[in-house]
Amino acid sequence: MKIVTKSFLRYLIRRRSLSLLQLMGIACGVAAVIGMVLSARSALSSFSDAVSFLQGKGTHLIERPAGTMDERILTDLMRDRAVRSMSPVLDRKLRLEDGNLIRVLGIDPFLDRQIRPELLHSPFTQRRGESGERNMEFFLDERAVFLEARLADKMGISPGSDMKTSRGLLRVIATFPNPSGEPLILMDIAHAQEIFELPGQVDHVDLILDDEVDFRSRWETGFRIQSSLERQETFRSMVGAFRLNLEAMSLMALFVAVFLIYNTTMFTVVSRRKDAGILRSLGVKRYEVTIAFLAEILILGTAGGAIGSVLGYLLSHFLTTIIGSTISNLYFFLRPTPPIWSFLILLSGIILGCGASILGSLLPLVELARTDPVEALRGRSASRRSGKKALKAAYAGIVVLMISLVILLASGKQIYMAYAATFGVLLGLSLLTGILLVYAAPALKVFLSLVGGIAGKVAAGNIRQNLGRSGVAVAAFMVALSMSIGLASMIGSFRESLAWWMGTQLRGDLYISNASETEVPLDFYEELRSINAIGGVDAYRKVKILYRGRTAYITAINAPVLQRFARFAWIEGGDEHWEAVKSGGVIISESFARNFNVRPGDTIALDGIGGSVQLKVEAAFYDYSTEHGLIMMDRSTYLNLFHDYAINSVAVFINPANPRRQELLDTVREKALARGLPVFTQKQFYNSILEVFDSTFAITRSMRIMAIVIAFFGIAGALMTLFIERQRDFGIYRALGFSTGQVSSMTLMEAIGMGFISFVLSCAVGTILAFILIKVINLRSFNWTIFFHMQWQPYLLTAVTAFLASLGAALYPIWKVRRNYPQMQIREE
Amino acid sequence: MSHAVIKVVDLWKYYDEEGHGGNAALRGTSLEVRRGEVLAIFGKSGSGKSTLLNLIAGLDRPTRGLIEIEGKNLETLGEAGRTELRRTRLGFVFQFFNLIPTLTALENVHLSLELAGISNLQIAGEALAGVSLHGKERRYPHELSGGEQQRVAIARALVKDPALVLADEPTGNLDTMTGNQILKILTSRCRQTGMTLVMVTHTSLACHYADRILTMVDGIITDKLNSEEI
């Protein structure tokens, strides 16, 4: 048996270049999965670490349903018999000089020690060696802060230095370590109230409760009480869709990797078929051939997996930064710690490499085990039967496709099922590749003849003749290109939909403050309203709430202003809905309607400051501002409900026909800047939203590139196999008088032919994929409708990629042709 | 007890799936080959010679008819039994040598021994020496000439002392001089050791070395000839 295995394994060395390509294909596939999984896990665990770390020993949190609360209730809380410890917190954000947002926690160090003993332990201990008087700086100096150590290092700030922020200069008196990786500033709560201009206000109070039921019985009305577990769950659900997206990306990488490995293994089977026939004729049993082949696959899988794990680890550092910045843009500032190398990563890579190799080689193994020795010994029988096989594969593809479509339609809210079905659709369509190649062969012949003359004509014949190899390579390349088109079209359509949505809702001429770190002072809002001849001023307030235990948002707007100036995209009906909103009704975003199954005409119950209030849903509108769902109401309704007068941003509308328009805009701008408030024109505002959008999809773009790289190795491997397997044919070409240049051109034409046909097929499959991503996956993940916009850019980009990848893949075989062709002869062995 | 190593009775082989009315490669062929006999089956290309050989080797299965090797019915042996038979009692020599390209000459011969359950490199080396390939043990097939490759194939077939050697156009890919050398080696070694040799050929060359010559036309063995008649 050893010698049978040895005969197979020697191919790895004998065909070094092909082995290397196969190895790189597997390694890239494994690297994509490992990189994606590691970075996603790292970013998400940093996210939950940050939540847990700041939660400390607190068992509960109490806050108003919306907005801040008066610190006078602290006395009552302190006296409450169910409260063992408590710590009031002002939780805000400010912008650093470099533009990054940073979280600021205003706390009472004495009270907070019971809840988060680790938080202030380090900075106070650090300063113990210094005079006690200077330790008092934290309490006495209203600009004194503790800064998280890694951020301090990064910014080159040492204790005693000043740092510039959007709220003026802050004095860093000590640093402290934060294991969660979240950059933080700590300051005394009284000073925080001062710099954020929130005198006597706190955002929430962390509590350690002895008796939750008893406590809730007294504090339920007008407050929201959340246990630590509920809070963690809220955060988890907040990033749920994002996590799902990351998992889908990992699965996508795995799918392409397994497909490529299948591709690789199929080539190996084709090239081992004759050997298998010889061995069987000598008395080698089927299972012995299978084991020998499996050994070869496992060696490739192990080596590829090991290399892939190292590459994946390196990749994860890059991806972690991208994911971190996406989380920062969408949720809160996070600086995830890159994963730490461990041999478990290596082991995972090897298991993945071997697992994917075995999965990818199941069908080829069955084929090899079933090799008919008589057929195999006759030589090139595989090609003769490849047409029939392509037909069989097409039937299987249709079955897979139909099953997948049924699952897709029946999957409902089961997003994982929907993803599985999407991959099934891709697999089904890829199984049709062989038969499509057969039907496309005449057209391909015409095309390649036009491009490459006689060499192109022969190349087209070769692609058709070697369907067993070219079909699989084209399928793998097509899948990768389809993913590229599908993802790009989905992103493009989303961007277009977003731009359209901005045009309907965000029609203000100027936006004052769009960032959550800044709140617009109430008196400034009143001042703007009082400007003569100004069209309208919309005060925008957005707060996170819990609706039926899940995250949702409430936004308060000035309904009369929006009625006049905005052009909301209503799902049903028109601007008549504003009348009802002005008199106390609410409108909901599409995501809220889908997420909570609420329809116009229903009533929803919201916990206001005076208890639960029933509100009638008047209408639903398209919205992309949050996937969790949005309830929009007039500011007057909101104030009645929550007594929260804070404003996040202000939109100023000026009638286009107003002759003083420019003068008014200048006046508003001056007034805002004088208050230190950022001002954005409509265009700037749109751009900032699109910037966030683009950075959100940076990870998706990275995966697109990975898919192409993996596919590149696939097509290069296919060409290399074709070259090796056709040494005899090259001898015939030489005998017929083909020049080295013509044979090189033929190799190039084969690559371009395969690339071209892969691209043509990917245009159709990619469009189908985009459609599924938009109409099924996105709708179910994010509960919003994206409108399909046909764009030519993804197709053009993919065409260029396909051409370049085919060209790149052909380079090495061409080099081999140029080196070896002049010595080639017609030989059987 | 019969002395026949091969007994073939009314053997039919169709290449269409239904088993009738299609392309018949063998049409009721019968044959008996005695122990130690050197038999040549002569026929044109497409006459069914190779099909017959593949059926006798158990590589393919007949549509109907009986094949017995050393008194064992191939059909009742099953796949495992037929494989075992090829490992221990059958040697095969092909027109295109069919050596494993990734194994050296010595390893190719040793492979056959290993499959027969004898892992002995010395015997493999002696077998190569027996076909005048001493000193070329470590060469790979592509480093050997056609004649040398066929000699390795002969050593591979004979090294396990099989009862029966099947040779499919053993000189079909060689020049006349090399072909003669190969046939001399093959037939003399079989005669020395009492092995039965069945050669199928479409040229007269192999017939000169046979004890008995049969002709095959359109899937039926027709005549018994001598080499002069051919």
Side-chain angles (χ1 to χ4, degrees):
Chain A
M1 256 319 290
K2 263 180 9 195
I3 205 156
V4 176
T5 312
K6 196 193 277 181
S7 74
F8 271 44
L9 296 186
R10 287 230 177 114
Y11 275 110
L12 294 176
I13 300 164
R14 196 179 153 99
R15 296 176 174 180
R16 283 183 292 277
S17 43
L18 186 61
S19 302
L20 192 68
L21 283 173
Q22 291 175 335
L23 201 64
M24 286 315 292
I26 297 171
C28 284
V30 170
V33 180
I34 294 266
M36 199 63 231
V37 170
L38 279 182
S39 50
R41 191 179 296 168
S42 169
L44 292 172
S45 79
S46 294
F47 186 88
S48 65
D49 282 354
V51 173
S52 307
F53 177 70
L54 288 181
Q55 213 163 267
K57 291 181 176 172
T59 60
H60 291 80
L61 171 148
I62 186 167
E63 61 191 338
R64 286 289 188 196
T68 56
M69 58 188 180
D70 197 306
E71 68 182 3
R72 278 176 296 193
I73 69 151
L74 295 178
T75 323
D76 296 334
L77 276 175
M78 210 174 280
R79 286 183 191 145
D80 193 287
R81 60 177 179 264
V83 177
R84 196 196 309 163
S85 304
M86 53 161 270
S87 171
V89 178
L90 194 71
D91 187 350
R92 299 277 139 169
K93 283 174 189 163
L94 55 74
R95 198 168 284 277
L96 299 177
E97 198 182 8
D98 61 7
N100 276 323
L101 275 179
I102 185 165
R103 193 171 182 187
V104 181
L105 288 188
I107 49 172
D108 179 325
F110 297 109
L111 290 174
D112 203 72
R113 210 162 39 184
Q114 303 300 320
I115 307 283
R116 288 169 278 262
E118 299 88 10
L119 193 61
L120 287 171
H121 175 77
S122 175
F124 277 112
T125 319
Q126 198 181 99
R127 300 181 57 79
R128 196 169 285 159
E130 299 172 20
S131 74
E133 275 171 24
R134 287 200 59 195
N135 246 350
M136 291 301 285
E137 256 181 79
F138 187 75
F139 305 101
L140 299 177
D141 183 351
E142 64 180 32
R143 296 272 154 187
V145 295
F146 292 149
L147 183 62
E148 189 262 325
R150 275 177 58 197
L151 183 67
D153 272 357
K154 197 178 160 198
M155 295 172 68
I157 292 176
S158 52
S161 318
D162 286 340
M163 62 189 281
K164 277 188 188 169
T165 72
S166 52
R167 294 275 174 178
L169 276 183
L170 295 177
R171 188 168 165 72
V172 179
I173 57 166
T175 60
F176 66 98
N178 181 351
S180 73
E182 185 191 6
L184 263 185
I185 287 177
L186 298 178
M187 68 192 305
D188 181 72
I189 191 163
H191 300 154
Q193 286 170 337
E194 227 161 279
I195 74 158
F196 287 102
E197 295 165 39
L198 291 164
Q201 299 296 304
V202 298
D203 282 315
H204 66 259
V205 181
D206 287 316
L207 303 162
I208 299 179
L209 295 182
D210 285 327
D211 187 341
E212 181 183 349
V213 179
D214 183 34
F215 182 79
R216 279 188 191 273
S217 67
R218 285 186 293 280
W219 292 90
E220 199 85 81
T221 307
F223 293 95
R224 182 165 61 215
I225 302 157
Q226 258 193 298
S227 73
S228 305
L229 280 176
E230 285 168 337
R231 229 176 133 202
Q232 278 178 2
E233 192 46 50
T234 307
F235 276 110
R236 255 198 293 276
S237 72
M238 201 165 111
V239 289
F242 184 67
R243 176 192 283 134
L244 189 72
N245 184 34
L246 292 182
E247 282 170 358
M249 289 292 138
S250 310
L251 283 176
M252 183 184 120
L254 185 66
F255 180 79
V256 176
V258 171
F259 208 88
L260 184 87
I261 292 163
Y262 164 73
N263 178 23
T264 304
T265 320
M266 209 63 189
F267 295 145
T268 319
V269 165
V270 172
S271 60
R272 300 291 183 284
R273 188 178 275 117
K274 191 174 180 191
D275 287 4
I278 297 170
L279 289 167
R280 295 272 294 120
S281 72
L282 293 175
V284 175
K285 292 172 184 164
R286 284 183 202 280
Y287 83 87
E288 289 170 330
V289 173
T290 310
I291 286 173
F293 186 63
L294 203 59
E296 188 182 340
I297 297 294
L298 286 178
I299 285 177
L300 276 176
T302 306
I307 297 170
S309 66
V310 177
L311 292 177
Y313 170 72
L314 297 174
L315 181 70
S316 70
H317 280 245
F318 167 68
L319 294 178
T320 304
T321 316
I322 296 181
I323 295 175
S325 105
T326 306
I327 292 182
S328 299
N329 278 329
L330 295 179
Y331 307 106
F332 71 73
F333 194 106
L334 188 73
R335 194 186 47 207
T337 323
I340 298 162
W341 172 259
S342 96
F343 279 96
L344 272 180
I345 298 176
L346 182 72
L347 190 68
S348 312
I350 291 173
I351 291 172
L352 198 64
C354 290
S357 299
I358 291 171
L359 190 67
S361 51
L362 276 181
L363 281 179
L365 269 176
V366 169
E367 191 186 328
L368 195 74
R370 283 186 181 167
T371 299
D372 178 353
V374 180
E375 288 284 302
L377 288 171
R378 277 185 195 156
R380 309 180 62 78
S381 55
S383 299
R384 208 160 49 86
R385 290 188 302 160
S386 55
K388 271 188 184 173
K389 279 191 175 175
L391 196 63
K392 275 187 185 173
Y395 288 138
I398 290 168
V399 172
V400 172
L401 207 54
M402 286 168 73
I403 293 172
S404 304
L405 286 173
V406 170
I407 295 174
L408 197 63
L409 293 173
S411 56
K413 288 270 176 189
Q414 298 298 316
I415 196 71
Y416 289 101
M417 294 270 278
Y419 269 120
T422 308
F423 288 128
V425 168
L426 266 183
L427 182 66
L429 290 169
S430 68
L431 285 169
L432 299 178
T433 310
I435 200 74
L436 292 174
L437 208 53
V438 172
Y439 287 119
L444 188 67
K445 198 169 185 174
V446 173
F447 171 71
L448 289 183
S449 303
L450 284 173
V451 179
I454 190 154
K457 200 174 184 177
V458 178
N462 286 338
I463 293 173
R464 167 65 186 87
Q465 185 66 21
N466 296 287
L467 204 58
R469 284 154 257 198
S470 52
V472 177
V474 167
F477 200 37
M478 181 272 285
V479 165
L481 294 177
S482 303
M483 284 191 163
S484 176
I485 289 181
L487 289 171
S489 296
M490 185 269 284
I491 297 170
S493 295
F494 198 172
R495 210 172 190 276
E496 286 290 316
S497 303
L498 185 70
W500 163 78
W501 167 78
M502 289 191 297
T504 62
Q505 274 197 27
L506 312 174
R507 294 169 72 92
D509 293 297
L510 287 178
Y511 285 87
I512 297 162
S513 171
N514 69 341
S516 52
E517 85 272 26
T518 316
E519 283 179 5
V520 178
L522 193 58
D523 65 320
F524 178 68
Y525 163 61
E526 296 299 347
E527 188 184 339
L528 291 182
R529 272 160 49 111
S530 66
I531 296 173
N532 194 22
I534 202 156
V537 182
D538 175 40
Y540 181 84
R541 173 67 172 152
K542 183 176 181 181
V543 288
K544 189 169 80 179
I545 59 155
L546 281 185
Y547 184 76
R548 294 185 199 158
R550 283 183 282 153
T551 303
Y553 289 87
I554 291 177
T555 58
I557 41 85
N558 290 76
V561 175
L562 292 190
Q563 182 180 21
R564 193 173 153 207
F565 292 99
R567 295 288 176 270
F568 264 48
W570 305 104
I571 290 173
E572 268 177 43
D575 284 348
E576 70 278 3
H577 298 308
W578 286 121
E579 291 305 325
V581 175
K582 283 193 277 187
S583 48
V586 297
I587 50 176
I588 55 172
S589 69
E590 182 194 14
S591 50
F592 186 89
R594 288 182 187 276
N595 217 356
F596 297 100
N597 200 22
V598 174
R599 289 185 176 78
D602 294 351
T603 50
I604 54 170
L606 293 180
D607 290 328
I609 204 153
S612 183
V613 179
Q614 299 284 328
L615 295 162
K616 189 178 177 206
V617 176
E618 298 297 339
F621 58 96
Y622 291 108
D623 179 86
Y624 302 110
S625 62
T626 168
E627 75 265 27
H628 300 290
L630 195 75
I631 303 163
M632 193 176 270
M633 60 184 72
D634 186 57
R635 185 165 170 80
S636 58
T637 314
Y638 178 80
L639 293 179
N640 279 336
L641 212 54
F642 300 109
H643 297 185
D644 170 28
Y645 288 83
I647 299 168
N648 290 104
S649 69
V650 163
V652 176
F653 301 85
I654 296 164
N655 197 327
N658 190 330
R660 290 179 54 212
R661 185 178 154 80
Q662 193 53 49
E663 179 199 330
L664 286 167
L665 288 174
D666 292 342
T667 310
V668 172
R669 189 191 303 275
E670 276 165 29
K671 283 180 185 290
L673 292 175
R675 297 263 195 146
L677 294 168
V679 184
F680 305 93
T681 61
Q682 190 187 71
K683 196 178 171 190
Q684 286 169 331
F685 194 47
Y686 283 11
N687 286 343
S688 68
I689 292 172
L690 289 175
E691 248 173 57
V692 171
F693 176 87
D694 290 339
S695 76
T696 306
F697 283 99
I699 192 80
T700 316
R701 277 193 292 276
S702 308
M703 287 318 296
R704 275 175 62 202
I705 295 168
M706 276 307 286
I708 298 289
V709 171
I710 295 170
F712 167 80
F713 284 109
I715 202 156
L719 278 175
M720 201 61 211
T721 315
L722 283 176
F723 171 77
I724 291 169
E725 294 296 309
R726 294 210 330 271
Q727 304 268 342
R728 185 175 179 274
D729 293 0
F730 284 127
I732 296 170
Y733 297 140
R734 194 162 165 248
L736 290 172
F738 274 79
S739 67
T740 308
Q742 274 177 312
V743 176
S744 303
S745 162
M746 194 189 301
T747 307
L748 179 66
M749 286 300 117
E750 278 171 18
I752 288 178
M754 286 199 279
F756 175 72
I757 207 141
S758 304
F759 166 69
V760 171
L761 295 177
S762 71
C763 286
V765 178
T767 309
I768 294 172
L769 181 65
F771 201 75
I772 294 175
L773 287 174
I774 289 170
K775 296 292 172 198
V776 182
I777 301 290
N778 243 290
L779 190 64
R780 290 179 194 172
S781 301
F782 299 100
N783 291 304
W784 53 41
T785 301
I786 297 174
F787 298 96
F788 187 79
H789 290 266
M790 194 72 186
Q791 292 166 312
W792 54 268
Q793 295 95 327
Y795 297 89
L796 182 68
L797 188 71
T798 308
V800 173
T801 309
F803 177 71
L804 292 178
S806 310
L807 207 62
L811 287 179
Y812 185 64
I814 288 174
W815 178 74
K816 291 279 278 184
V817 165
R818 300 196 78 82
R819 207 178 64 156
N820 297 342
Y821 180 69
Q823 288 84 44
M824 282 177 183
Q825 288 167 16
I826 306 170
R827 286 181 60 139
E828 281 295 332
E829 295 289 332
Chain B
M1 191 179 162
S2 167
H3 289 289
V5 172
I6 303 172
K7 185 179 174 186
V8 172
V9 182
D10 191 26
L11 202 61
W12 290 76
K13 178 68 184 174
Y14 288 96
Y15 277 114
D16 65 334
E17 282 175 10
E18 288 76 24
H20 53 79
N23 183 17
L26 292 180
R27 297 195 279 185
T29 295
S30 295
L31 169 75
E32 265 198 29
V33 187
R34 292 185 308 277
R35 191 173 298 279
E37 190 179 8
V38 174
L39 173 72
I41 300 174
F42 175 76
K44 288 180 185 170
S45 185
S47 59
K49 308 182 300 290
S50 294
T51 303
L52 177 63
L53 221 56
N54 286 332
L55 290 171
I56 292 172
L59 289 171
D60 204 353
R61 293 172 70 181
T63 309
R64 68 170 189 267
L66 171 83
I67 307 168
E68 280 184 3
I69 305 293
E70 293 188 302
K72 290 171 189 156
N73 185 342
L74 286 193
E75 198 55 33
T76 55
L77 275 180
E79 182 58 35
R82 286 192 290 270
T83 304
E84 191 58 31
L85 191 78
R86 282 199 298 276
R87 285 184 167 208
T88 52
R89 305 302 293 157
L90 276 176
F92 221 120
V93 179
F94 303 92
Q95 178 181 357
F96 293 115
F97 327 132
N98 284 342
L99 299 176
I100 303 291
T102 49
L103 297 180
T104 62
L106 185 69
E107 286 169 337
N108 262 290
V109 178
H110 187 240
L111 167 69
S112 183
L113 263 185
E114 201 185 44
L115 288 170
I118 312 155
S119 186
N120 190 325
L121 277 172
Q122 196 186 335
I123 299 176
E126 284 166 7
L128 277 177
V131 291
S132 310
L133 282 178
H134 183 68
K136 296 191 174 173
E137 293 87 348
R138 292 184 179 280
R139 300 234 180 134
Y140 283 93
H142 68 274
E143 295 167 334
L144 297 169
S145 68
E148 286 172 331
Q149 287 188 52
Q150 194 61 305
R151 276 190 270 163
V152 176
I154 290 169
R156 182 176 69 180
L158 301 182
V159 70
K160 59 188 171 187
D161 281 330
L164 172 63
V165 177
L166 302 170
D168 187 358
E169 304 276 10
T171 58
N173 206 30
L174 302 170
D175 61 72
T176 311
M177 197 173 81
T178 315
N180 272 314
Q181 286 172 0
I182 290 296
L183 287 168
K184 202 177 281 176
I185 292 169
L186 183 62
T187 52
S188 63
R189 289 292 312 278
C190 284
R191 284 191 176 108
Q192 278 165 19
T193 50
M195 291 175 203
T196 304
L197 172 65
V198 177
M199 300 182 282
V200 298
T201 179
H202 71 283
T203 63
S204 60
L205 190 63
C207 298
H208 295 300
Y209 293 84
D211 301 332
R212 184 160 62 118
I213 305 161
L214 297 172
T215 56
M216 196 158 189
V217 179
D218 295 337
I220 304 169
I221 291 177
T222 53
D223 287 314
K224 183 181 169 185
L225 303 170
N226 59 44
S227 57
E228 282 72 33
E229 285 171 315
I230 289 169

